[in-house]
């Protein structure tokens, strides 16, 4: 804990709480030489001299009451340059004071240099063991007469170990000690003292300024490193820069400006490549079902250009005036979290502040339920963009018609219009552009737009097929029910089933299929949504497909259900003395019909089930006569009944009555979809009107035993299951390539009924066909694999194994614009994984970090993982970065 300042001690506060680091000058200089001339920093040189009452090279007051280290730092007025004078810094006794951001940039350069050296490329860095970062408290006083700063380091302010190290660092017994100030803070010391002098009119010589430095790269091994001078000199003679000195090679790209390095605590970290604890290899604590957030954050905080950006001065680009933004709070929370994750030797970070900001601006992520990492990514990228949008006032942009113009010209115009309103690091790095083409099926009007995208959501086309058996039933009474076995993609949609069944049963161009599930001789649901997943259909389900005429789509549907009764059918005895029979039969009717129409329509549907007279074993002559009567109906009656099922329903006056004996044998009742009677018996001559939004009429037909003998009811009662599994071996896991997923995404397909497009040609909403093409690719390509499917009844996860490239994703064949000079090749650097089932499971991240190594980020645990293990069926979001065209 810091000692409380005395009355004569004035704590000095830096701007923006910026930390200052004391580092070896040669280490700093080597990184500075890699920057452009315009970026070279100007420093102030100070030379260490003995303190007051000096009695030797350096005064150290040691007695039983006190132990202080005293010396002065004299400002060299004529040396305010960048340090390029002779062999400055080569002696190893020159240090640099640098602000946190500059320290990070130097740390990044040395880290990159180490990676390059491991890959066999020339570099200006050598491995070192400077691994300690620890705080040191200094008390400064301004000595204006000598243009110097008085420095006092005491055991009272510092731990014993840190004080011992300070005595070695600032010892000048052997050679001169110089300090270059690149932070500009010493100038503030002098200005602060001058202002007080002008205000008070006199100097209070006992006033001190308490300053905390972060000491980096100056551990106890310094003396041992001094012995390496000859070895380093030999390296320089073999081609290494003469201005280079030993440097700590971190496995990462940068460090933390405001890292929470505890006082009086030495936090060390490993400089070994590939060891957890190096830069960027910091886990995130799970706050309670926040693994989805941790996975997404680890992928983003290891995105190269985003790391550089947020470790720099990103605050100057925060847009506080953007009504679509969050006043910079999301950007600040993310930036602070990234810096903590890149702090040297940081322990696992608890992202509570970020989680709190996230829940505030996106309530869907509040609480501690499991969420989707891709949905979080989508929100976060959009939020970061709006918070960092460089456009303060978005101009109104009018979209011009692209007719008769080249696609290249229209695409560039769309892109410039987009940049006029959206300009941020997210747009620079993560946004691309695709071409969208819509074609009207009626007037063939073509509409082309060029829209930006932040990521690609790719479907997972199924390669594993599933056998399904359905029974096709006619609605005109001309054919018996027939089972058909078809094969469809296992992870397909209902539209795939309709397409395959239509081919198998030779469906006419003027026909359509109405699919229903049958349970306990009743229709329990209709399958009418083309986008529904086939996983909603179980192997033990029983489905019927009714063939209907297309031109009767708007006509009501009548559903006949059958009931076998023991005695004369009367309403009060239907439940106790009846039994459900067979599958329902359906047909189309007019809005208003009478009981006679319904009766004749039902007899028409039964035609295909009628047993020929010679095959009937029933000795009841009246029954045979009734059957013969149905078969020998006159042509007029047949035509009118057929018209009811073929879409040209006749009027009731055209219908001819059948024999009254038939009326007595089959009795009809209006019911609900479960077969429960709602009204009394339907009278032959009374009108029956279809009501309700469903446009469906349910009729319960009562069958006496003597009637059932005339029909082959086995055809009505035999309904196969979708699939009889038996004892089958387990099927292998389905596999598909990432390129196949991309091809499925770019395939032309019709819009769904809920996504109708308003055609400017026919002035009406049309179900147009849509085609997507990639036009402009971003630096960072994020690919979302659509593993989760949602429907009205079920949520499902696809466990398909996607074979994705790691080192060379080549999209050249999928780019519609061929005139670009940018590379279309990408390298994988991060994966967000999801293990387990829908609505639960666990998220992790795989990250490529340092050289050719991959790491598994599992919340707070970080460990090495071999590259051959990163391809799994859990891969959910893939992160690629662009590489040069000549990449091998």
């Amino acid at each position: 804990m810091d000692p409380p300042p005395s009355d004569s001690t004035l704590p000095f506060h830096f701007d923006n709480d910026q930390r200052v680091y004391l580092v070896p000058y040669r280490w700093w200089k080597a990184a500075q030489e890699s920057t452009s001339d315009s970026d070279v920093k100007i420093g102030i040189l100070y030379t260490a001299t003995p303190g007051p009452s000096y009695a030797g090279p350096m005064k150290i007051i040691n007695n039983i009451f006190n132990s202080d280290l005293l010396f002065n730092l004299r400002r060299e007025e004529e040396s305010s340059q960048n340090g390029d004078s002779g062999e400055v810094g080569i002696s190893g006794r020159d240090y640099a004071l640098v602000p946190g951001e500059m320290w990070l940039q130097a740390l990044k350069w040395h880290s990159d240099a180490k990676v390059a050296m491991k890959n066999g490329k020339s570099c200006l860095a050598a491995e070192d063991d400077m691994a300690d970062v620890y705080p040191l408290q200094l008390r400064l006083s301004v000595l204006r007469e000598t243009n110097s700063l008085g420095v006092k380091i005491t055991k009272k302010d510092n731990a014993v170990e840190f004080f011992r190290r300070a005595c070695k660092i600032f010892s000048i017994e052997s050679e001169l000690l110089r300090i270059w100030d690149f932070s500009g803070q010493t100038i503030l010391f002098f200005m602060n003292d001058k202002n007080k002098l002008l205000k008070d009119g006199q100097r209070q010589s006992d006033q001190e300024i308490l300053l905390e430095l972060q000491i980096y790269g100056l551990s106890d091994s310094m003396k041992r490193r001094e012995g390496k001078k000859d070895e380093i000199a030999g390296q320089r003679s073999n081609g290494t820069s003469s201005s280079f000195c030993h440097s700590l090679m971190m496995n990462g790209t940068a460090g933390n400006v405001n890292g929470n390095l505890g006082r009086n605590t030495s936090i060390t970290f490993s400089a070994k490549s590939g060891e957890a604890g190096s830069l960027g290899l910091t886990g995130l604590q799970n706050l309670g079902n926040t693994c989805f957030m941790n996975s997404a954050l680890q992928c983003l905080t290891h995105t190269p250009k985003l790391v550089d950006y947020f470790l720099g001065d990103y605050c100057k680009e925060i847009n506080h005036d953007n009504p679509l933004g969050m006043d910079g709070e999301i950007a600040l929370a993310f930036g602070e979290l990234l810096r903590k994750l890149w702090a040297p030797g940081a322990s696992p970070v608890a992202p509570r502040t970020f989680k709190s900001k996230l829940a505030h601006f996106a309530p869907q992520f509040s609480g501690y339920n499991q969420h989707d990492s891709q949905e979080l990514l989508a929100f976060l990228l959009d939020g970061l963009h709006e918070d960092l949008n460089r456009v303060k006032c978005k101009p109104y942009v009018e979209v011009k018609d692209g007719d008769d113009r080249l696609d290249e010209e229209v695409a560039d115009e769309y892109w410039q219009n987009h940049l006029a309103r959206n300009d941020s690091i997210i747009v620079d790095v993560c946004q691309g552009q695709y071409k969208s083409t819509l074609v009207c099926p009626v007037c063939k009007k073509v509409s082309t737009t060029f829209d930006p995208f932040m990521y690609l959501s790719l479907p997972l086309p199924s390669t594993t097929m599933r056998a399904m058996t359905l029974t096709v039933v006619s609605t005109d009474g001309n054919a018996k029910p027939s089972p058909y076995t078809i094969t469809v993609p296992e992870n397909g949609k209902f539209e795939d089933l309709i397409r395959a069944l239509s081919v198998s049963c030779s469906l006419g161009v003027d026909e359509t299929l109405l699919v229903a599930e049958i349970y306990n001789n009743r229709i329990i649901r209709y399958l009418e949504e083309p986008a529904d997943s086939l996983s909603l259909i179980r192997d033990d389900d029983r489905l019927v497909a009714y063939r209907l005429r297309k031109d009767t789509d708007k006509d009501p549907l009548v559903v006949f259900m059958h009931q076998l009764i023991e005695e004369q059918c009367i309403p009060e005895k239907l439940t106790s003395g009846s039994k459900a029979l067979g599958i329902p039969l359906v047909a189309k009717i007019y809005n208003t019909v009478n009981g006679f129409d319904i009766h004749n329509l039902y007899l028409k549907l039964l035609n295909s089930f009628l047993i020929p007279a010679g095959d009937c074993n029933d000795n009841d002559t009246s029954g045979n006569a009734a059957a013969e009567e149905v078969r020998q109906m006159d042509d007029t009656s047949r035509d009118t009944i057929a018209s009811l099922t073929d879409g040209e329903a006749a009027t009731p006056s055209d219908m001819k009555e059948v024999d009254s004996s038939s009326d007595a044998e089959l009795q009809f009742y209006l019911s609900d979809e479960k077969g429960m009677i709602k009204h009394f018996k339907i009278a032959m001559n009374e009108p029956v009107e279809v009501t309700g939004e469903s446009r469906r009429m349910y009729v319960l037909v009562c069958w006496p035993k003597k009637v059932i003998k005339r029909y082959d009811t086995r055809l009505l009662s035999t309904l196969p299951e979708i699939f009889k599994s038996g004892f089958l071996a387990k099927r292998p896991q389905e596999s598909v390539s990432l390129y196949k997923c991309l091809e499925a995404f770019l395939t032309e397909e019709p819009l769904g009924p809920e996504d109708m497009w308003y055609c400017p040609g026919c002035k009406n909403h049309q179900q147009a066909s849509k085609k997507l093409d990639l036009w402009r690719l971003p630096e960072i390509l994020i690919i979302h694999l659509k593993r989760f499917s949602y429907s009205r009844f079920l949520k499902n996860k696809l466990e398909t194994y996607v074979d994705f490239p790691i080192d060379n994703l080549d999209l050249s064949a999928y780019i519609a614009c061929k005139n670009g000079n940018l590379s279309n090749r990408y390298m994988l650097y991060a994966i967000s994984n999801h293990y387990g089932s829908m609505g639960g499971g666990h998220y992790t991240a795989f990250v490529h970090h340092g050289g050719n190594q991959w790491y598994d980020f599992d919340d707070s645990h970080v460990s090495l993982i071999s590259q051959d293990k990163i391809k799994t069926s859990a891969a959910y979001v893939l992160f690629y970065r662009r590489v040069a065209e000549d990449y091998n």
Side-chain angles (χ1 to χ4, degrees), residues 414-430:
Y414 268 86
W415 188 248
Q416 293 305 318
N417 290 342
H418 176 66
L419 294 183
R421 296 172 55 84
N422 303 276
D423 182 17
S424 69
I425 181 64
I426 303 300
V427 175
D428 298 342
V429 174
C430 299

Side-chain angles (χ1 to χ4, degrees), residues 366-612:
S366 61
Y368 296 94
N369 294 324
Q370 184 69 281
H371 295 280
D372 190 321
S373 68
Q374 187 274 332
E375 292 178 359
L376 171 67
L377 277 170
F379 168 81
L380 183 55
L381 288 172
D382 185 66
L384 290 175
H385 159 64
E386 296 295 353
D387 271 1
L388 300 169
N389 197 347
R390 304 176 185 111
V391 180
K392 304 301 181 182
C393 182
K394 295 186 177 183
Y396 170 76
V397 177
E398 183 177 357
V399 179
K400 298 180 181 179
D401 194 350
D403 291 345
D404 302 325
R405 290 196 292 165
L406 295 176
D407 281 350
E408 290 77 5
E409 178 185 348
V410 179
D412 287 343
E413 182 179 280
Y414 268 86
W415 188 248
Q416 293 305 318
N417 290 342
H418 176 66
L419 294 183
R421 296 172 55 84
N422 303 276
D423 182 17
S424 69
I425 181 64
I426 303 300
V427 175
D428 298 342
V429 174
C430 299
Q431 285 198 353
Q433 186 182 33
Y434 60 73
K435 174 185 176 183
S436 175
T437 305
L438 291 171
V439 180
C440 177
V442 178
C443 68
K444 305 303 178 183
K445 166 72 176 178
V446 178
S447 173
T448 303
T449 58
F450 294 85
D451 303 312
F453 67 85
M454 195 88 74
Y455 50 85
L456 298 178
S457 289
L458 304 186
L460 304 186
S462 179
T463 58
T464 300
M465 305 303 288
R466 175 186 180 186
M468 302 181 73
T469 301
L470 293 86
T471 301
V472 177
V473 178
S474 71
T475 57
D476 58 9
N478 292 329
K480 297 179 180 180
S482 301
Y484 289 88
T485 299
I486 58 174
T487 55
V488 293
E490 184 176 25
N491 298 319
K493 299 179 180 179
F494 179 66
E495 59 187 357
D496 298 321
L497 182 149
I498 292 295
R499 190 180 302 113
L501 186 58
S502 298
V503 173
S504 184
C505 72
S506 301
L507 193 71
V509 293
D510 60 342
E511 291 182 298
T512 186
L513 292 175
L514 175 64
V515 180
E517 180 182 349
I518 308 299
Y519 181 75
N520 284 343
N521 308 101
R522 300 290 185 261
I523 295 176
I524 61 172
R525 62 167 172 155
Y526 296 91
L527 286 74
E528 300 178 282
E529 195 64 44
D532 278 353
S533 172
L534 291 181
S535 60
L536 294 170
I537 303 174
R538 299 168 298 182
D539 285 347
D540 58 352
D541 289 343
R542 288 174 165 83
L543 299 187
V544 169
Y546 299 100
R547 300 179 72 142
L548 296 169
R549 292 284 295 271
K550 282 185 178 179
D551 55 7
T552 62
D553 284 347
K554 297 181 180 180
D555 293 334
L557 187 76
V558 59
V559 179
F560 293 103
M561 293 170 284
H562 327 288
Q563 199 92 329
L564 178 63
I565 59 174
E566 299 292 339
E567 54 185 280
Q568 181 69 20
C569 182
I570 55 178
E572 57 268 20
K573 293 190 176 181
L574 277 178
T575 303
S576 60
S578 59
K579 177 182 178 182
L581 173 68
I583 61 175
L585 298 176
V586 304
K588 291 284 189 174
I589 57 172
Y590 276 143
N591 286 330
T592 303
V593 292
N594 59 27
F596 185 78
D597 301 331
I598 293 175
H599 181 253
N600 280 339
L601 177 58
Y602 186 66
L603 292 180
K604 176 65 176 179
L605 296 178
L606 291 179
N607 272 346
S608 59
F609 302 98
L610 195 61
I611 299 175

